[in-house]
Amino acid sequence: MTGYDATYAAWRAAPEDYWRAAARGIDWDRAPERIFDPAAGVYGRWFPDARLNTCHNAVDRHVAAGRGGQPAIIHDSPVTGRVETLTYARLLERVSKLAGALAALGVGQGDRVVIYLPMVLEAPVAMLACARLGAVHSVVFGGFAAAELAARIADARPKVVISASCGLEPKGSEVRVIAYKPLLDAAIALSPHKPLGCLILQRPELACDLTPGRDQDLLAAEAAAAAHACVPVAATDPLYILYTSGTTGKPKGIVRDNGGHAVALHNSMAMLYGVGPGDVMFTASDVGWVVGHSYIVYAPLLVGATTVVYEGKPVGTPDAGAFWRVCAEHKVKAFFTAPTAIRAIKREDAEGRLFATYDLSRLEALFLAGERCDPPTAEWAAAMLGKPVIDHWWQTETGWAITGNFRGMGLFPARFGSGGKPSPGYEVAALDEAGQPLPAGQTGTLAIRLPLPPGCLATLWHADDRCREAYLEAFPGWYNTSDAGVVDAEGYVSVMSRTDDIINVAGHRLSTGAMEEVLAAHPDVAECAVVGVKDSLKGQVPLGLVVVKAGITKTEADLARELVALVRDRIGPVAAFRDARIVSRLPKTRSGKILRATLRKIADGEAYVVPPTIDDPTILEEMQGTLAALVK
Ligand code: COA
Ligand code: AMP
């Protein structure tokens, strides 16, 4: 591969040639003749005449090429003490039979399957089994509560739900067993749409009762099923829906297609991560997030690499050397995690004593994403590892990195605090409010010139208009990332913050709007706002500011306890909502709109302009006092 500048210039000069060449990395049932159709879909569609099967590309073709004996997935679970490896040949067997079991339940091409699983081997197996049938999976993160699962079941309308008896969450030195079945039952009861059946993985740590007429034991159903072949689908057919936080309580169903996704992810592996057939990649995320979809499951398998599925935490399972143990034991070449995890490790092992006990000679680079990485964290990791630390910026919507640094093209010098330069396929600019690109070095809304490259969202599930409105209308001709940032004179992009009501808590994307909806439902709350407050470990944590109804005498501590419990119950523990304060009033415009953007700036300790439309400017000082005391 040539250097970054030459490759980026070649893409810009002839984007279709670039993607035609990248498409050669994929096995097609019908190879693409047409690369891009600008008239189709919301902003055009990639590979409109091609056909393929993603599971064939991720599994079958590697077995056919003689890699059947190579490990495909290593499941390393410090919370159970078990490590299990699936070779490509065994993965093929399991996926084909689980696909057979799903087919026996009536799942066919285009049908949806919701997957609500912890980090078990069956999570990638289930995703691939859906892909094999041309069915559309929608994985829901285990830290979400029943109501969130219900909202996703209601929107995706799955024929089948795949779940487990339990998840295992470390808490201090204990491992908590989290029963999934009651959450699943509650979600199905809440959802107006009911699945025809559920496949439940019974884990040794906790068995659950199966609901007669609805549930089957997943392993038994898989064992009894006939292997199912791959079903070729159109490149433009959906592979999966992944719900992500929007600005309201209703999550956005990001739709990923089969063809563009396979091409872009396959292409990214050598280019960005320097990972190819037989190499080992460890992405410490969760299959419930986009990072997990792309770099735990699909991309490593599309290139015939080995992927590590890790069921544990960066610290506490058993200590802050856990990630380094995994890297050493499984000979990991590329390691990918969130800055929060590195901060957690640094907090417990700042001197790198645990780190020093492992042989990391096979590790070549650390990749960070999911939230802004503060330069001290990246510097600490780089100094300790003595290897490249690559911050790269992306979103659930894009599915792969918008910017980064590219091992396959020879790295350019890293600048901590920046997410690197645009990947070939993306033209990035900071825009002013009128949608005009700003001069280098000026902060604006980061936007990507249309069309988005292959692998990015095709649309929102059954909501083309919401997709246009959310991403394309603000700046005609551009995709609005809703991230604020800067592009400097050398092309480095730095992402500073979101421009909307989304916060990033421990690398998890959450909607403050959704939390506000929950607080507002409490009978004592007259009005409320939720803002992200800086946190030295998790980056941001949510804080509720509530105005209580007249006559309420409950103490702040009691009300806060109830509100925390309510958010945990409705959204889930992952929201990490732990603090609510009673305030006498909230800053508003004269027309009564809460000034959330100003509150956010105050919470972040940033300079703010007193909005000309504010009803009473004196309240901002009061807010500053409340929030400043809380920033950790
Ligand atoms: N199922 C059930 N509950 C879950 C869960 C899951 N899959 N994931 C998290 N939770 C729960 C936690 O147990 C915790 O519950 P608690 O309130 O009862 O303690 C709560 O959700 C908050 O979890 P988390 O934000 O992970 O905080 P933590 O204090 O347990 O752990 C870190 C702190 C730093 C170790 C952890 O946040 C971490 O590993 N962060 C990295 C995240 C990451 O990899 N993100 C990838 C995105 S690319
Ligand atoms: P998610 O959709 O969960 O991947 O979250 C996407 C959001 O996380 C982005 O819009 C950014 O706000 C933030 N983000 C992800 N990666 C980075 C990064 N490398 N630097 C700064 N912010 C990031």
Side-chain angles (χ1 to χ4, degrees):
M1 219 178 247
T2 47
Y4 171 78
D5 289 337
T7 309
Y8 190 78
W11 162 72
R12 275 196 82 158
E16 293 203 11
D17 291 349
Y18 178 89
W19 290 115
R20 184 177 288 109
R24 291 192 195 111
I26 293 302
D27 279 6
W28 301 91
D29 290 277
R30 181 171 170 202
E33 276 171 27
R34 194 143 186 227
I35 300 302
F36 184 68
D37 176 1
V42 174
Y43 60 86
R45 297 304 304 266
W46 293 96
F47 312 115
D49 57 7
R51 295 185 75 77
L52 78 161
N53 181 280
T54 296
C55 180
H56 166 82
N57 277 279
V59 186
D60 302 49
R61 67 166 170 166
H62 304 309
V63 178
R67 311 189 74 85
Q70 183 202 304
I73 307 180
I74 301 171
H75 181 239
D76 186 309
S77 169
V79 292
T80 63
R82 294 192 287 273
V83 177
E84 190 184 343
T85 300
L86 283 190
T87 60
Y88 270 101
R90 179 73 186 123
L91 178 63
L92 175 58
E93 245 170 58
R94 287 210 60 185
V95 168
S96 317
K97 295 200 64 162
L98 187 55
L102 286 169
L105 281 167
V107 175
Q109 189 183 341
D111 290 332
R112 275 81 57 213
V113 174
V114 162
I115 300 175
Y116 185 59
L117 284 173
M119 286 291 284
V120 288
L121 261 179
E122 285 70 16
V125 170
M127 291 161 77
L128 291 161
C130 293
R132 192 168 191 85
L133 295 173
V136 180
H137 61 69
S138 187
V139 183
V140 180
F141 177 62
F144 281 122
E148 290 287 326
L149 176 58
R152 286 151 176 81
I153 292 174
D155 197 64
R157 306 176 63 80
K159 263 201 179 152
V160 168
V161 178
I162 299 181
S163 189
S165 56
C166 68
L168 301 165
E169 271 295 297
K171 186 84 186 170
S173 55
E174 306 279 293
V175 173
R176 273 180 304 172
V177 177
I178 300 187
Y180 270 38
K181 182 67 183 351
L183 297 171
L184 175 66
D185 289 345
I188 292 175
L190 281 170
S191 164
H193 170 84
K194 314 288 178 198
L196 293 179
C198 298
L199 292 177
I200 310 288
L201 174 74
Q202 294 280 19
R203 302 193 76 188
E205 290 74 20
L206 178 78
C208 64
D209 292 334
L210 299 180
T211 303
R214 189 195 75 186
D215 298 348
Q216 283 185 46
D217 181 296
L218 181 143
L219 295 177
E222 183 189 314
H228 202 292
C230 289
V231 177
V233 298
T236 49
D237 281 341
L239 170 68
Y240 70 76
I241 309 167
L242 178 56
Y243 289 89
T244 189
S245 303
T247 47
T248 65
K250 191 171 160 42
K252 290 169 169 166
I254 304 296
V255 177
R256 197 88 58 207
D257 67 14
N258 275 274
H261 173 258
V263 171
L265 261 56
H266 181 272
N267 186 56
S268 73
M269 284 301 276
M271 176 177 79
L272 243 153
Y273 302 95
V275 171
D279 292 336
V280 184
M281 181 161 193
F282 170 28
T283 300
S285 176
D286 188 286
V287 288
W289 307 116
V290 68
V291 170
H293 278 63
S294 294
Y295 292 102
I296 296 176
V297 184
Y298 284 110
L301 299 178
L302 282 166
V303 298
T306 300
T307 183
V308 179
V309 173
Y310 174 74
E311 189 181 23
K313 298 269 174 178
V315 293
T317 55
D319 57 33
F323 281 175
W324 316 129
R325 174 194 63 78
V326 172
C327 289
E329 246 170 54
H330 304 305
K331 302 189 171 49
V332 169
K333 184 175 182 188
F335 172 40
F336 180 172
T337 191
T340 295
I342 300 296
R343 286 194 293 270
I345 295 169
K346 181 180 168 201
R347 190 180 262 202
E348 294 198 5
D349 188 26
E351 307 296 318
R353 287 204 179 89
L354 290 163
F355 168 82
T357 60
Y358 295 100
D359 171 9
L360 295 178
S361 53
R362 302 289 286 268
L363 183 66
E364 294 185 1
L366 166 67
F367 292 84
L368 297 172
E371 60 186 312
R372 181 176 159 74
C373 184
D374 51 301
T377 298
E379 279 154 18
W380 178 81
M384 198 175 57
L385 285 167
K387 319 209 173 189
V389 171
I390 298 172
D391 184 5
H392 57 330
W393 166 52
W394 47 304
Q395 310 183 313
T396 306
E397 286 83 347
T398 66
W400 61 287
I402 307 164
T403 64
N405 204 340
F406 305 87
R407 296 194 63 227
M409 303 181 197
L411 295 174
F412 43 74
R415 295 228 181 118
F416 294 139
S418 155
K421 298 187 189 183
S423 305
Y426 293 95
E427 182 185 335
V428 180
L431 304 184
D432 66 15
E433 280 173 15
Q436 293 307 310
L438 287 159
Q442 289 193 23
T443 303
T445 300
L446 294 171
I448 301 165
R449 196 186 285 282
L450 294 175
L452 292 168
C456 292
L457 83 165
T459 186
L460 295 178
W461 182 245
H462 287 171
D464 287 355
D465 285 345
R466 189 178 178 204
C467 180
R468 287 189 193 93
E469 199 186 305
Y471 303 109
L472 309 182
E473 276 177 7
F475 307 116
W478 299 84
Y479 162 89
N480 177 7
T481 68
S482 293
D483 276 318
V486 183
V487 184
D488 76 9
E490 288 166 71
Y492 285 85
V493 178
S494 298
V495 183
M496 310 313 291
S497 60
R498 294 281 306 192
T499 59
D500 56 11
D501 295 329
I502 283 171
I503 56 172
N504 230 301
V505 181
H508 305 141
R509 171 169 161 179
L510 298 162
S511 159
T512 53
M515 292 186 228
E516 286 175 7
E517 284 176 23
V518 174
L519 301 191
H522 188 284
D524 297 347
V525 171
E527 56 185 358
C528 63
V530 174
V531 289
V533 179
K534 271 193 188 136
D535 182 87
S536 60
L537 175 65
K538 297 190 176 187
Q540 284 182 298
V541 287
L543 167 74
L545 299 171
V546 297
V547 178
V548 293
K549 287 182 184 158
I552 302 292
T553 52
K554 205 172 271 170
T555 65
E556 186 177 65
D558 284 346
L559 181 59
R561 214 170 295 120
E562 288 173 22
L563 294 174
V564 166
L566 206 56
V567 174
R568 196 179 173 90
D569 181 55
R570 299 277 168 83
I571 298 180
V574 68
F577 182 85
R578 301 217 166 99
D579 203 358
R581 300 294 163 118
I582 295 179
V583 290
S584 57
R585 57 210 172 118
L586 288 164
K588 287 189 187 166
T589 61
R590 281 187 285 276
S591 60
K593 212 169 148 259
I594 297 173
L595 288 160
R596 290 185 171 78
T598 312
L599 272 176
R600 213 168 38 232
K601 286 210 161 106
I602 298 176
D604 284 344
E606 283 175 25
Y608 61 90
V609 181
V610 177
T613 51
I614 194 164
D615 183 32
D616 173 7
T618 60
I619 189 177
L620 294 180
E621 271 172 43
E622 192 182 316
M623 285 295 139
Q624 208 154 3
T626 311
L627 293 170
L630 296 168
V631 176
K632 281 176 259 162

